[in-house]
């Protein structure tokens, strides 16, 4: 059985670790609030942009664009796919990173001819250690998603799509359904299905005629890059929010485990200390008894 000195050292170590996990919990909660605020500030613009694309399709249904599947055909295209995988820079976030990587592995099994574009040090290290080639790693931290970085990523993906090097583009990110649950998703960004921009039942549609200059196709093609950038930015922010939420959950669980361990160690320490005191009293009593017997 461990002595009181070893138990006291263990208790001190657990308390120091608990301070770290509690600080990480507070930091993650602060980052989560800030990221949600940024997402709320940018979301209305991209929702309005999507509404304008809906308006274009209500005005002209015969638009021929390589950004969209034909009306009567949604068969997956043959050729090389591009996949943007969004992970964190570090662990200590539960299953957050592993869920995103599992989605990427499933996509690679379904379509081996897929080029990976990775955001986050955890994903870069995972694929590199297993010899899985990475087409491009965006060497900036996943901790600070910005619109400028989203435009840089979308420009790289759109360039490959426009030149025909990438036939389809997927984004693997983690979506926060609510404050308690989040799920890794694999979403095809390009080409779009036209039904994605259909007006849902019950939503009021504007039917006034519009004039597009220089043409409907040109206007649509100028809007798609902004929309893709907005989607990627939203995916970066969503993933960042989920990462902080997962880290808060993991650190809260660590704090609870530390509390339980401290209670158990304190009880063990008291038992060992009481046992030592009892042993000392027994030894003193035995010595005194032996002295009395010797005198008699």
């Amino acid at each position: 059985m461990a002595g009181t000195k070893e138990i006291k050292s263990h208790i001190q170590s657990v308390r120091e670790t608990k301070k770290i996990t509690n600080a990480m919990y507070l930091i993650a909660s602060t980052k989560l609030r800030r990221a949600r605020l940024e997402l709320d500030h940018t979301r209305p613009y991209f929702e309005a942009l999507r509404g304008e694309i809906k308006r274009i399709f209500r005005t002209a249904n015969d638009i021929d664009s390589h950004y969209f599947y034909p009306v009567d055909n949604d068969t997956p295209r043959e050729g090389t796919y591009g996949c943007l995988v969004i992970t964190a820079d570090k662990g200590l976030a539960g299953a957050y990173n592993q869920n995103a990587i599992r989605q990427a592995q499933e996509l690679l099994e379904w379509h081996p001819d897929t080029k990976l574009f990775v955001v986050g040090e955890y994903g870069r290290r995972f694929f590199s250690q297993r010899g899985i080639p990475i087409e491009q790693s965006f060497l900036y931290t996943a901790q600070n998603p910005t619109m400028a970085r989203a435009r840089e990523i979308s420009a790289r993906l759109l360039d490959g799509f426009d030149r025909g090097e990438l036939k389809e583009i997927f984004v693997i990110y983690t979506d926060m359904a609510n404050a308690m649950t989040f799920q890794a998703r694999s979403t095809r960004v390009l080409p779009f299905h036209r039904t994605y921009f259909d007006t849902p039942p019950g939503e009021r549609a504007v039917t006034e005629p519009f004039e597009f200059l220089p043409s409907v196709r040109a206007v649509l093609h100028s809007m798609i890059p902004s929309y893709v950038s907005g989607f990627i930015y939203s995916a970066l922010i969503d993933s960042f929010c989920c990462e902080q939420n997962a880290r808060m959950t993991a650190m809260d669980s660590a704090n609870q485990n530390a509390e339980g361990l401290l209670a158990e160690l304190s009880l063990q320490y008291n038992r060992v200390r009481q046992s030592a005191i009892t042993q000392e009293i027994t030894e003193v009593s035995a010595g005194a008894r032996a002295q009395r017997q010797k005198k008699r």
Side-chain angles (χ1 to χ4, degrees):
M1 180 180 291
T4 56
K5 184 177 180 180
E6 290 80 4
I7 297 176
K8 286 180 68 176
S9 177
H10 195 180
I11 290 175
Q12 184 64 26
S13 176
V14 172
R15 285 175 176 168
E16 294 296 330
T17 303
K18 186 173 179 292
K19 290 180 182 178
I20 297 174
T21 56
N22 188 52
M24 293 181 66
Y25 176 88
L26 296 176
I27 293 171
S29 63
T30 302
K31 290 182 177 179
L32 177 62
R33 287 194 298 270
R34 186 174 66 246
R36 282 179 171 173
L37 187 62
E38 292 177 358
L39 185 60
D40 291 339
H41 285 168
T42 57
R43 183 171 291 164
Y45 168 76
F46 297 107
E47 290 295 332
L49 191 61
R50 183 179 179 183
E52 294 305 314
I53 297 175
K54 290 181 182 180
R55 186 175 299 175
I56 290 176
F57 280 110
R58 286 197 300 266
T59 304
N61 295 322
D62 57 345
I63 303 174
D64 182 21
S65 172
H66 67 288
Y67 290 127
F68 293 86
Y69 276 111
V71 178
D72 55 349
N73 183 15
D74 58 357
T75 305
R77 297 180 178 179
E78 298 292 334
T80 303
Y81 290 179
C83 178
L84 175 66
V85 184
I86 302 174
T87 63
D89 290 325
K90 56 185 177 181
L92 299 178
Y96 166 80
N97 289 301
Q98 290 299 325
N99 290 338
I101 289 174
R102 191 178 299 114
Q103 289 285 337
Q105 290 176 321
E106 291 177 359
L107 178 60
L108 289 172
E109 291 176 1
W110 172 66
H111 193 85
D113 187 11
T114 300
K115 294 182 179 180
L116 295 179
F117 301 82
V118 181
V119 173
E121 182 61 31
Y122 192 98
R124 290 192 287 267
R125 186 170 61 250
F126 179 89
F127 293 119
S128 298
Q129 290 176 349
R130 287 156 180 77
I132 301 175
I134 298 175
E135 178 67 17
Q136 182 173 347
S137 180
F138 297 97
L139 299 177
Y140 42 70
T141 176
Q143 296 294 310
N144 186 25
T146 63
M147 192 62 213
R149 291 175 177 175
R151 289 195 180 99
E152 179 184 343
I153 296 171
S154 66
R156 175 64 181 88
L157 296 175
L158 284 169
D159 180 64
F161 186 82
D162 291 335
R163 289 189 295 165
E165 297 176 358
L166 304 176
K167 299 301 181 182
E168 292 190 7
I169 295 176
F170 290 81
V171 175
I172 294 177
Y173 68 104
T174 308
D175 181 37
M176 181 180 291
N178 52 55
M180 298 298 296
T181 60
F182 52 89
Q183 180 181 6
R185 297 185 181 277
S186 178
T187 303
R188 187 186 62 250
V189 178
L190 290 174
F192 292 106
H193 281 296
R194 295 172 187 261
T195 54
Y196 183 73
F197 295 97
D198 285 347
T199 302
E203 180 178 328
R204 181 178 177 272
V206 180
T207 57
E208 288 79 1
F210 291 91
E211 182 179 358
F212 299 93
L213 296 174
S215 65
V216 176
R217 190 172 186 274
V219 171
L220 181 64
H221 281 203
S222 67
M223 296 173 68
I224 290 299
S226 295
Y227 185 81
V228 173
S229 298
F231 183 91
I232 293 176
Y233 178 66
S234 177
L236 290 171
I237 293 289
D238 264 347
S239 296
F240 182 70
C241 289
C242 292
E243 177 194 349
Q244 302 309 318
N245 192 19
R247 183 161 290 113
M248 287 173 59
T249 302
M251 293 304 102
D252 183 60
S253 177
N255 287 336
Q256 293 178 8
N257 292 338
E259 290 288 349
L261 185 57
L262 285 173
E264 182 180 345
L265 288 173
S266 297
L267 180 60
Q268 184 180 353
Y269 174 78
N270 291 332
R271 286 176 177 174
V272 172
R273 186 170 63 89
Q274 185 64 40
S275 177
I277 293 173
T278 303
Q279 181 67 24
E280 291 177 0
I281 294 175
T282 302
E283 291 174 355
V284 171
S285 299
R289 188 183 306 112
Q291 290 294 330
R292 288 195 300 269
Q293 291 177 353
K294 184 177 179 179
K295 287 180 181 180
R296 287 198 297 267

